[in-house]
Amino acid sequence: MADRILVPYDGTPQAKEALELTFDEFPDATVIALYVVEVPDGRWAQLVGPELQIPVSEKAEEYAADILETATELATEYDRSLETNVVTGEPDDRIVAQAEAESVDLIVIGSHGKEGISRVLLGSVAETVVRRSPVPVLVVR
């Protein structure tokens, strides 16, 4: 049984389903909702790596807070508490790094269907997290 669960949360229906499933299936676990403010891929990210924490604009911080507020409201509907965290960087890198930093037992992530044969079943972020995660990953479709 997982005691600490990380749920990457971006406000999409898939992320909401992942959070709901976590509340339903793991009633005694500590749940952490993570929002990643995406930094465009480029030389900056290549030079400094996934541990990068770039200051973000006030608008980006407000948006992240609004998204995580919807996760907190969902937790209230389930009569659950929820830890929230905002980080910056490449989503797949930051999710894996946060799983290690928070010592979680499980990542529950929503799948994002994308166009193209390779993305029919699993979104690129979810796919990368599954491949690189140090802990089990449950993908919710």
Side-chain angles (χ1 to χ4, degrees), residues 27-133:
D28 299 324
T30 299
V31 180
I32 305 160
L34 175 69
Y35 182 82
V36 181
V37 177
E38 188 168 2
V39 175
D41 190 21
R43 295 191 187 278
W44 222 175
Q46 293 171 3
L47 291 173
V48 291
E51 66 283 346
L52 171 68
Q53 280 294 303
I54 296 174
V56 296
S57 71
E58 186 175 315
K59 189 174 187 176
E61 287 179 6
E62 289 173 8
Y63 182 77
D66 289 346
I67 293 294
L68 289 174
E69 180 60 30
T70 66
T72 302
E73 290 168 0
L74 186 60
T76 301
E77 290 176 25
Y78 279 81
D79 197 27
R80 296 287 300 273
S81 61
L82 180 69
E83 295 179 21
T84 60
N85 199 355
V86 177
V87 295
T88 58
E90 287 294 314
D92 47 4
D93 290 335
R94 297 305 297 155
I95 292 165
V96 170
Q98 201 65 27
E100 293 171 346
E102 294 283 348
S103 299
V104 300
D105 305 306
L106 176 68
I107 298 172
V108 179
I109 189 169
S111 172
H112 298 276
K114 304 250 182 174
E115 291 187 28
I117 299 298
S118 66
R119 301 294 179 240
V120 170
L121 298 177
L122 199 59
S124 60
V125 171
E127 179 182 353
T128 303
V129 170
V130 166
R131 283 194 329 245
R132 295 183 47 223
S133 176

